[in-house]
Amino acid sequence: MQALYVKWLAEQAPETGGIRGYEVGKNIVVRYDPYNNDYVKAYVFTGAITMFKPDYYERCRKAEGNKK
């Protein structure tokens, strides 16, 4: 069940007021669901690299050098 949720979250397009996200590199996406406080980093074609519940989304995003 969790694997399906991770796949679903990774496939979501970022939207204002909802899922947030950005690309880290070629075929790697990061998604954050503020409602469930879930952070997912995944390969586009093969699935999750990591998933956790951060209380510091902005720190993770900035640490990877993404300013968006």
Side-chain angles (χ1 to χ4, degrees):
M1 182 74 160
Q2 184 175 358
L4 291 175
Y5 173 72
V6 169
K7 184 176 184 324
W8 173 84
L9 183 57
E11 292 173 346
Q12 297 306 299
E15 57 186 57
T16 304
I19 305 295
R20 300 179 195 166
Y22 57 95
E23 293 181 20
V24 175
K26 185 175 182 179
N27 297 324
I28 299 174
V29 295
V30 174
R31 296 293 183 257
Y32 176 67
D33 180 353
Y35 181 75
N36 293 310
N37 193 33
D38 290 326
Y39 176 93
V40 171
K41 186 173 185 179
Y43 289 111
V44 174
F45 300 109
T46 58
I49 297 171
T50 188
M51 178 181 171
F52 59 94
K53 293 191 172 285
D55 55 358
Y56 54 90
Y57 168 74
E58 292 299 322
R59 183 190 305 168
C60 293
R61 183 178 60 81
K62 289 176 182 175
E64 292 184 357
N66 193 294
K67 306 289 187 229
K68 295 180 184 175

